[in-house]
Amino acid sequence: MNLQNNTEIDIIRASSTKINDVDFENLVFGNIFTDHMLVCDFKDGKWQKPVIKPYEPFLLDPSAKVFHYGQAIFEGMKAYKDDNDAIWLFRPDENFDRFNKSAVRMAMPEVPEEVFLGGLHEILKIEKDWVKKGKGNTLYIRPFMIATGTGVVAAPSSQYRFMIILSPAKAYYSGEVKVIIAEHYSRAANGGIGAAKAAGNYSAQFYPTQLANKDGFQQIIWTDDATHTKLEEAGTMNVFFRINDTLFTAPAGERILDGVTRKSLITLAEKEGIDMQVRSVLVWELVEAAKNGTLKEIFGAGTAAVVNPIVGFSYKGEYFELPKVENSIALKLKEKLTNIQYKLAEDPFGWTVKI
């Protein structure tokens, strides 16, 4: 099978399928994977021929660099099936571009478009039955790359493996989400890898999140590392704040991931005539707005959850419950975005790409 630039993909079909054993109505996020995966290795200074093969474990040398120096990056994407059984991607070029920006920051080789996007199209054609119709049903896509070169010298690897695995999904979060504002721990620092979708960013969040969980909170709103006065992200998501009828979100930069859902919501808000301000929001602004009643909504935004409303936050031991609002901007924007993703509404931005 040929892709652009004469890149070929070998395809080895699975002898059987797991799909008939899957309860698609009761999925746990990220636990079930489809029958096939895409694998492409980088060695001898160049990318090898990609292969789509049955999903299976693989062996790595104990001295593989990914284990010792953490060269690992990933993306999160989704595929959607419309009422006519056509499969669509949402802004895949943004994920491709961000993946390679992460690769550059982590001293890893950039993945060619024909391998990342071309390979993704091919594996989705094979796994089309795993994409279920109906709003809320998606096929979560996890492209990732790890350092597979051997040796424990502290230096970039000479070999890498790029892969795509697929997982049927429904909603990522359920129930009410309460957050605590970080006073000590930080997600990222200036000059660091916060803008890269690097695996280490997420493992560093686990411990402070565990501490928050013990206190009855589901997530943390991260603050800047230098002063802990600027609100940055919520858990693994970008975060938005509605004060009166103005929507605020922090600018993407060295510490904040340039989320695809985030930038899509900003564009939709501006199109809807919502006062949208991209600037640093200070902790004291949020606390003051909560106290005087002008804080209406907080919500996280990301590929997995799309939009995740937050019902309250804690800061310095004081808890602030958010009001129950009519005409929620969070839910309005989520509806408009998901309608575009599922082809239930016009896509005036050209964001959707048909497989």
Side-chain angles (χ1 to χ4, degrees):
M1 184 165 298
N2 292 320
L3 296 172
Q4 55 183 308
N5 299 334
N6 297 317
T7 296
E8 295 182 348
I9 293 183
D10 285 340
I11 296 178
I12 304 170
R13 294 273 186 167
S15 58
S16 61
T17 180
K18 301 172 289 190
I19 196 169
N20 297 321
D21 299 324
V22 176
D23 181 358
F24 284 90
E25 295 304 313
N26 295 287
L27 294 168
V28 177
F29 183 85
N31 271 21
I32 302 293
F33 296 93
T34 66
D35 297 317
H36 298 87
M37 61 186 188
L38 181 140
V39 181
C40 188
D41 289 320
F42 179 91
K43 60 182 180 180
D44 300 325
K46 60 184 179 181
W47 287 100
Q48 308 299 303
K49 182 188 290 188
V51 59
I52 294 173
K53 59 190 294 188
Y55 185 97
E56 62 184 2
F58 58 91
L59 294 175
L60 282 178
D61 191 283
S63 72
K65 298 273 189 174
V66 64
F67 299 139
H68 302 273
Y69 302 112
Q71 280 185 290
I73 60 173
F74 68 94
E75 273 296 323
M77 310 167 66
K78 285 180 177 177
Y80 311 82
K81 183 173 281 186
D82 68 18
D83 290 339
N84 298 316
D85 288 327
I87 297 173
W88 298 83
L89 293 171
F90 182 73
R91 307 188 77 174
D93 55 322
E94 293 284 349
N95 294 99
F96 169 67
D97 289 343
R98 187 174 64 183
F99 188 87
N100 278 336
K101 287 177 182 176
S102 297
V104 170
R105 180 62 183 85
M106 298 298 290
M108 305 169 83
E110 295 181 63
V111 176
E113 181 178 356
E114 59 269 20
V115 174
F116 188 109
L117 294 177
L120 177 55
H121 278 245
E122 293 306 321
I123 195 171
L124 285 174
K125 290 176 185 176
I126 293 171
E127 305 288 48
K128 61 183 184 300
D129 292 340
W130 288 83
V131 193
K132 299 302 182 182
K133 285 194 292 190
K135 199 169 183 182
N137 295 318
T138 62
L139 187 63
Y140 183 76
I141 300 163
R142 174 54 64 91
F144 65 100
M145 179 165 52
I146 59 173
T148 55
T150 59
V152 294
V153 174
S157 178
S158 61
Q159 296 183 27
Y160 298 88
R161 174 162 290 186
F162 170 74
M163 299 184 66
I164 299 176
I165 55 177
L166 310 169
S167 178
K170 282 186 174 289
Y172 187 51
Y173 293 110
S174 59
E176 293 188 340
V177 175
K178 298 179 180 179
V179 299
I180 188 167
I181 294 177
E183 299 176 47
H184 172 70
Y185 294 102
S186 297
R187 176 189 172 273
N190 283 332
I193 59 172
K197 205 162 175 66
N201 287 339
Y202 295 80
S203 60
Q205 296 182 33
F206 293 159
Y207 175 67
T209 303
Q210 283 181 340
L211 297 179
N213 294 161
K214 290 177 181 177
D215 289 333
F217 299 93
Q218 287 71 46
Q219 291 290 350
I220 297 172
I221 293 185
W222 304 103
T223 50
D224 68 290
D225 63 299
T227 67
H228 293 290
T229 60
K230 298 176 181 178
L231 299 161
E232 302 206 320
E233 293 194 16
T236 59
M237 301 175 290
N238 295 115
V239 63
F240 288 75
F241 309 94
R242 175 188 172 189
I243 299 176
N244 286 321
D245 288 324
T246 299
L247 206 56
F248 299 88
T249 194
E254 283 189 309
R255 300 187 307 272
I256 298 175
L257 193 70
D258 189 12
V260 178
T261 304
R262 169 191 171 276
K263 65 176 64 178
S264 302
L265 292 176
I266 291 171
T267 300
L268 282 172
E270 292 171 344
K271 184 176 185 295
E272 292 298 309
I274 297 167
D275 183 13
M276 178 76 239
Q277 295 189 25
V278 179
R279 68 162 176 84
S280 293
V281 179
L282 303 178
V283 176
W284 72 262
E285 291 183 273
L286 194 70
V287 172
E288 185 176 276
K291 288 181 176 179
N292 65 28
T294 57
L295 178 63
K296 304 300 183 184
E297 297 181 82
I298 306 174
F299 58 94
T303 298
V306 187
V307 167
N308 195 189
I310 292 168
V311 300
F313 72 92
S314 175
Y315 181 64
K316 290 190 180 297
E318 187 173 4
Y319 180 71
F320 300 90
E321 187 83 17
L322 270 68
K324 306 292 184 184
V325 295
E326 296 182 8
N327 303 316
S328 163
I329 289 179
L331 297 182
K332 176 182 180 180
L333 292 178
K334 180 177 182 178
E335 180 78 4
K336 289 189 174 294
L337 181 59
T338 53
N339 281 347
I340 290 173
Q341 292 171 331
Y342 286 92
K343 305 304 287 185
L344 298 172
E346 179 187 0
D347 174 13
F349 310 104
W351 286 341
T352 51
V353 177
K354 190 175 183 179
I355 295 297

mmCIF file of all heavy atoms in Angstrom, residues 241-248 284-298 313 321-323 325:
data_model
loop_
_atom_site.group_PDB
_atom_site.id
_atom_site.type_symbol
_atom_site.label_atom_id
_atom_site.label_comp_id
_atom_site.label_asym_id
_atom_site.label_seq_id
_atom_site.Cartn_x
_atom_site.Cartn_y
_atom_site.Cartn_z
ATOM 1 N N PHE A 241 -12.060 30.143 32.737
ATOM 2 C CA PHE A 241 -12.786 30.762 33.840
ATOM 3 C C PHE A 241 -13.786 31.760 33.262
ATOM 4 O O PHE A 241 -13.436 32.564 32.406
ATOM 5 C CB PHE A 241 -11.829 31.500 34.782
ATOM 6 C CG PHE A 241 -10.666 30.665 35.247
ATOM 7 C CD1 PHE A 241 -9.451 30.710 34.568
ATOM 8 C CD2 PHE A 241 -10.783 29.835 36.346
ATOM 9 C CE1 PHE A 241 -8.373 29.957 34.986
ATOM 10 C CE2 PHE A 241 -9.707 29.068 36.772
ATOM 11 C CZ PHE A 241 -8.503 29.117 36.090
ATOM 12 N N ARG A 242 -15.026 31.709 33.755
ATOM 13 C CA ARG A 242 -16.023 32.711 33.364
ATOM 14 C C ARG A 242 -16.292 33.618 34.553
ATOM 15 O O ARG A 242 -16.776 33.165 35.591
ATOM 16 C CB ARG A 242 -17.319 32.036 32.917
ATOM 17 C CG ARG A 242 -18.440 33.028 32.605
ATOM 18 C CD ARG A 242 -19.756 32.308 32.364
ATOM 19 N NE ARG A 242 -20.861 33.236 32.252
ATOM 20 C CZ ARG A 242 -22.155 32.861 32.215
ATOM 21 N NH1 ARG A 242 -22.468 31.566 32.276
ATOM 22 N NH2 ARG A 242 -23.101 33.759 32.121
ATOM 23 N N ILE A 243 -15.934 34.893 34.399
ATOM 24 C CA ILE A 243 -16.236 35.910 35.398
ATOM 25 C C ILE A 243 -17.221 36.876 34.764
ATOM 26 O O ILE A 243 -16.936 37.477 33.720
ATOM 27 C CB ILE A 243 -14.962 36.634 35.874
ATOM 28 C CG1 ILE A 243 -14.001 35.620 36.525
ATOM 29 C CG2 ILE A 243 -15.307 37.752 36.850
ATOM 30 C CD1 ILE A 243 -12.670 36.211 36.937
ATOM 31 N N ASN A 244 -18.418 36.997 35.384
ATOM 32 C CA ASN A 244 -19.556 37.649 34.734
ATOM 33 C C ASN A 244 -19.774 36.968 33.386
ATOM 34 O O ASN A 244 -19.952 35.764 33.330
ATOM 35 C CB ASN A 244 -19.344 39.164 34.632
ATOM 36 C CG ASN A 244 -19.524 39.849 35.978
ATOM 37 O OD1 ASN A 244 -20.412 39.479 36.752
ATOM 38 N ND2 ASN A 244 -18.679 40.836 36.267
ATOM 39 N N ASP A 245 -19.707 37.686 32.291
ATOM 40 C CA ASP A 245 -19.899 37.053 30.981
ATOM 41 C C ASP A 245 -18.624 37.083 30.143
ATOM 42 O O ASP A 245 -18.687 36.990 28.909
ATOM 43 C CB ASP A 245 -21.048 37.739 30.227
ATOM 44 C CG ASP A 245 -22.398 37.402 30.844
ATOM 45 O OD1 ASP A 245 -22.557 36.245 31.313
ATOM 46 O OD2 ASP A 245 -23.282 38.268 30.885
ATOM 47 N N THR A 246 -17.505 37.228 30.806
ATOM 48 C CA THR A 246 -16.221 37.190 30.112
ATOM 49 C C THR A 246 -15.530 35.857 30.388
ATOM 50 O O THR A 246 -15.508 35.385 31.524
ATOM 51 C CB THR A 246 -15.315 38.352 30.565
ATOM 52 O OG1 THR A 246 -15.965 39.593 30.249
ATOM 53 C CG2 THR A 246 -13.973 38.298 29.856
ATOM 54 N N LEU A 247 -14.979 35.280 29.329
ATOM 55 C CA LEU A 247 -14.282 34.005 29.440
ATOM 56 C C LEU A 247 -12.782 34.264 29.379
ATOM 57 O O LEU A 247 -12.303 35.013 28.528
ATOM 58 C CB LEU A 247 -14.714 33.093 28.277
ATOM 59 C CG LEU A 247 -14.618 31.580 28.471
ATOM 60 C CD1 LEU A 247 -15.408 31.130 29.687
ATOM 61 C CD2 LEU A 247 -15.120 30.872 27.219
ATOM 62 N N PHE A 248 -12.055 33.637 30.308
ATOM 63 C CA PHE A 248 -10.607 33.810 30.386
ATOM 64 C C PHE A 248 -9.915 32.455 30.272
ATOM 65 O O PHE A 248 -10.409 31.448 30.783
ATOM 66 C CB PHE A 248 -10.198 34.441 31.732
ATOM 67 C CG PHE A 248 -10.764 35.798 32.004
ATOM 68 C CD1 PHE A 248 -12.005 35.939 32.620
ATOM 69 C CD2 PHE A 248 -10.065 36.942 31.660
ATOM 70 C CE1 PHE A 248 -12.534 37.185 32.891
ATOM 71 C CE2 PHE A 248 -10.580 38.202 31.923
ATOM 72 C CZ PHE A 248 -11.815 38.330 32.534
ATOM 73 N N TRP A 284 -5.782 35.569 43.099
ATOM 74 C CA TRP A 284 -6.580 36.505 43.888
ATOM 75 C C TRP A 284 -7.811 36.981 43.116
ATOM 76 O O TRP A 284 -8.865 37.240 43.720
ATOM 77 C CB TRP A 284 -5.750 37.705 44.361
ATOM 78 C CG TRP A 284 -5.364 38.705 43.292
ATOM 79 C CD1 TRP A 284 -4.186 38.783 42.629
ATOM 80 C CD2 TRP A 284 -6.171 39.782 42.785
ATOM 81 N NE1 TRP A 284 -4.190 39.823 41.725
ATOM 82 C CE2 TRP A 284 -5.414 40.460 41.811
ATOM 83 C CE3 TRP A 284 -7.466 40.238 43.049
ATOM 84 C CZ2 TRP A 284 -5.908 41.553 41.088
ATOM 85 C CZ3 TRP A 284 -7.955 41.337 42.348
ATOM 86 C CH2 TRP A 284 -7.168 41.985 41.376
ATOM 87 N N GLU A 285 -7.694 37.060 41.772
ATOM 88 C CA GLU A 285 -8.855 37.429 40.955
ATOM 89 C C GLU A 285 -9.956 36.392 41.086
ATOM 90 O O GLU A 285 -11.140 36.715 41.186
ATOM 91 C CB GLU A 285 -8.459 37.555 39.485
ATOM 92 C CG GLU A 285 -7.576 38.720 39.129
ATOM 93 C CD GLU A 285 -7.309 38.761 37.631
ATOM 94 O OE1 GLU A 285 -6.362 38.106 37.167
ATOM 95 O OE2 GLU A 285 -8.086 39.444 36.922
ATOM 96 N N LEU A 286 -9.541 35.114 41.049
ATOM 97 C CA LEU A 286 -10.527 34.037 41.129
ATOM 98 C C LEU A 286 -11.191 34.014 42.498
ATOM 99 O O LEU A 286 -12.422 33.881 42.598
ATOM 100 C CB LEU A 286 -9.841 32.695 40.855
ATOM 101 C CG LEU A 286 -10.764 31.513 40.570
ATOM 102 C CD1 LEU A 286 -11.424 31.684 39.217
ATOM 103 C CD2 LEU A 286 -10.015 30.196 40.639
ATOM 104 N N VAL A 287 -10.398 34.141 43.552
ATOM 105 C CA VAL A 287 -10.948 34.130 44.908
ATOM 106 C C VAL A 287 -11.891 35.312 45.106
ATOM 107 O O VAL A 287 -12.995 35.168 45.661
ATOM 108 C CB VAL A 287 -9.810 34.144 45.946
ATOM 109 C CG1 VAL A 287 -10.370 34.343 47.351
ATOM 110 C CG2 VAL A 287 -9.005 32.850 45.865
ATOM 111 N N GLU A 288 -11.467 36.477 44.644
ATOM 112 C CA GLU A 288 -12.312 37.672 44.792
ATOM 113 C C GLU A 288 -13.622 37.513 44.030
ATOM 114 O O GLU A 288 -14.699 37.865 44.534
ATOM 115 C CB GLU A 288 -11.556 38.904 44.296
ATOM 116 C CG GLU A 288 -12.306 40.213 44.514
ATOM 117 C CD GLU A 288 -11.475 41.418 44.105
ATOM 118 O OE1 GLU A 288 -10.664 41.876 44.935
ATOM 119 O OE2 GLU A 288 -11.626 41.874 42.962
ATOM 120 N N ALA A 289 -13.546 36.971 42.817
ATOM 121 C CA ALA A 289 -14.756 36.763 42.010
ATOM 122 C C ALA A 289 -15.682 35.748 42.669
ATOM 123 O O ALA A 289 -16.915 35.889 42.617
ATOM 124 C CB ALA A 289 -14.378 36.316 40.602
ATOM 125 N N ALA A 290 -15.088 34.721 43.289
ATOM 126 C CA ALA A 290 -15.914 33.727 43.989
ATOM 127 C C ALA A 290 -16.622 34.366 45.181
ATOM 128 O O ALA A 290 -17.795 34.070 45.462
ATOM 129 C CB ALA A 290 -15.054 32.557 44.435
ATOM 130 N N LYS A 291 -15.918 35.239 45.870
ATOM 131 C CA LYS A 291 -16.501 35.876 47.065
ATOM 132 C C LYS A 291 -17.584 36.889 46.722
ATOM 133 O O LYS A 291 -18.573 37.007 47.450
ATOM 134 C CB LYS A 291 -15.384 36.548 47.879
ATOM 135 C CG LYS A 291 -14.475 35.569 48.604
ATOM 136 C CD LYS A 291 -13.402 36.294 49.413
ATOM 137 C CE LYS A 291 -12.563 35.306 50.223
ATOM 138 N NZ LYS A 291 -11.490 35.978 51.003
ATOM 139 N N ASN A 292 -17.394 37.623 45.604
ATOM 140 C CA ASN A 292 -18.402 38.654 45.285
ATOM 141 C C ASN A 292 -19.484 38.172 44.321
ATOM 142 O O ASN A 292 -20.347 38.950 43.906
ATOM 143 C CB ASN A 292 -17.738 39.938 44.762
ATOM 144 C CG ASN A 292 -17.029 39.732 43.414
ATOM 145 O OD1 ASN A 292 -17.381 38.884 42.600
ATOM 146 N ND2 ASN A 292 -15.992 40.549 43.189
ATOM 147 N N GLY A 293 -19.428 36.881 43.948
ATOM 148 C CA GLY A 293 -20.498 36.300 43.150
ATOM 149 C C GLY A 293 -20.373 36.470 41.651
ATOM 150 O O GLY A 293 -21.284 36.096 40.901
ATOM 151 N N THR A 294 -19.249 37.028 41.180
ATOM 152 C CA THR A 294 -19.102 37.223 39.736
ATOM 153 C C THR A 294 -18.472 36.015 39.032
ATOM 154 O O THR A 294 -18.492 35.941 37.797
ATOM 155 C CB THR A 294 -18.248 38.476 39.435
ATOM 156 O OG1 THR A 294 -16.970 38.347 40.072
ATOM 157 C CG2 THR A 294 -18.951 39.731 39.932
ATOM 158 N N LEU A 295 -17.910 35.050 39.801
ATOM 159 C CA LEU A 295 -17.369 33.833 39.201
ATOM 160 C C LEU A 295 -18.524 32.891 38.889
ATOM 161 O O LEU A 295 -19.205 32.397 39.794
ATOM 162 C CB LEU A 295 -16.373 33.157 40.146
ATOM 163 C CG LEU A 295 -15.775 31.834 39.643
ATOM 164 C CD1 LEU A 295 -14.965 32.042 38.371
ATOM 165 C CD2 LEU A 295 -14.903 31.193 40.725
ATOM 166 N N LYS A 296 -18.745 32.652 37.612
ATOM 167 C CA LYS A 296 -19.892 31.855 37.175
ATOM 168 C C LYS A 296 -19.526 30.418 36.817
ATOM 169 O O LYS A 296 -20.278 29.487 37.097
ATOM 170 C CB LYS A 296 -20.556 32.524 35.958
ATOM 171 C CG LYS A 296 -20.976 33.971 36.180
ATOM 172 C CD LYS A 296 -21.975 34.115 37.307
ATOM 173 C CE LYS A 296 -22.446 35.556 37.458
ATOM 174 N NZ LYS A 296 -23.353 35.723 38.620
ATOM 175 N N GLU A 297 -18.364 30.226 36.165
ATOM 176 C CA GLU A 297 -18.005 28.889 35.709
ATOM 177 C C GLU A 297 -16.494 28.709 35.670
ATOM 178 O O GLU A 297 -15.751 29.661 35.435
ATOM 179 C CB GLU A 297 -18.537 28.628 34.286
ATOM 180 C CG GLU A 297 -20.041 28.637 34.129
ATOM 181 C CD GLU A 297 -20.452 28.341 32.690
ATOM 182 O OE1 GLU A 297 -20.491 27.153 32.329
ATOM 183 O OE2 GLU A 297 -20.727 29.292 31.938
ATOM 184 N N ILE A 298 -16.072 27.467 35.915
ATOM 185 C CA ILE A 298 -14.709 27.013 35.623
ATOM 186 C C ILE A 298 -14.859 25.690 34.884
ATOM 187 O O ILE A 298 -15.682 24.857 35.269
ATOM 188 C CB ILE A 298 -13.875 26.780 36.901
ATOM 189 C CG1 ILE A 298 -13.857 28.019 37.803
ATOM 190 C CG2 ILE A 298 -12.449 26.364 36.540
ATOM 191 C CD1 ILE A 298 -13.164 27.779 39.144
ATOM 192 N N PHE A 313 -13.775 25.000 44.008
ATOM 193 C CA PHE A 313 -12.331 24.947 44.195
ATOM 194 C C PHE A 313 -11.969 25.317 45.622
ATOM 195 O O PHE A 313 -12.717 26.004 46.330
ATOM 196 C CB PHE A 313 -11.616 25.877 43.202
ATOM 197 C CG PHE A 313 -11.763 27.348 43.495
ATOM 198 C CD1 PHE A 313 -10.824 28.032 44.272
ATOM 199 C CD2 PHE A 313 -12.836 28.072 42.979
ATOM 200 C CE1 PHE A 313 -10.952 29.387 44.536
ATOM 201 C CE2 PHE A 313 -12.975 29.428 43.241
ATOM 202 C CZ PHE A 313 -12.031 30.088 44.016
ATOM 203 N N GLU A 321 -17.823 27.033 46.454
ATOM 204 C CA GLU A 321 -18.747 26.310 45.571
ATOM 205 C C GLU A 321 -19.203 27.260 44.462
ATOM 206 O O GLU A 321 -19.524 28.424 44.728
ATOM 207 C CB GLU A 321 -19.964 25.820 46.360
ATOM 208 C CG GLU A 321 -20.893 24.920 45.584
ATOM 209 C CD GLU A 321 -20.446 23.463 45.552
ATOM 210 O OE1 GLU A 321 -19.606 23.073 46.388
ATOM 211 O OE2 GLU A 321 -20.928 22.725 44.679
ATOM 212 N N LEU A 322 -19.228 26.761 43.234
ATOM 213 C CA LEU A 322 -19.697 27.595 42.134
ATOM 214 C C LEU A 322 -21.217 27.533 42.029
ATOM 215 O O LEU A 322 -21.827 26.517 42.372
ATOM 216 C CB LEU A 322 -19.056 27.154 40.802
ATOM 217 C CG LEU A 322 -17.737 27.854 40.462
ATOM 218 C CD1 LEU A 322 -16.631 27.445 41.413
ATOM 219 C CD2 LEU A 322 -17.327 27.571 39.031
ATOM 220 N N PRO A 323 -21.839 28.611 41.547
ATOM 221 C CA PRO A 323 -23.299 28.619 41.434
ATOM 222 C C PRO A 323 -23.778 27.713 40.303
ATOM 223 O O PRO A 323 -23.026 27.400 39.377
ATOM 224 C CB PRO A 323 -23.614 30.089 41.121
ATOM 225 C CG PRO A 323 -22.390 30.586 40.412
ATOM 226 C CD PRO A 323 -21.233 29.877 41.079
ATOM 227 N N VAL A 325 -25.564 27.667 37.142
ATOM 228 C CA VAL A 325 -25.906 28.749 36.214
ATOM 229 C C VAL A 325 -26.783 28.244 35.076
ATOM 230 O O VAL A 325 -26.645 27.106 34.624
ATOM 231 C CB VAL A 325 -24.640 29.405 35.617
ATOM 232 C CG1 VAL A 325 -23.840 30.089 36.709
ATOM 233 C CG2 VAL A 325 -23.794 28.399 34.876
#
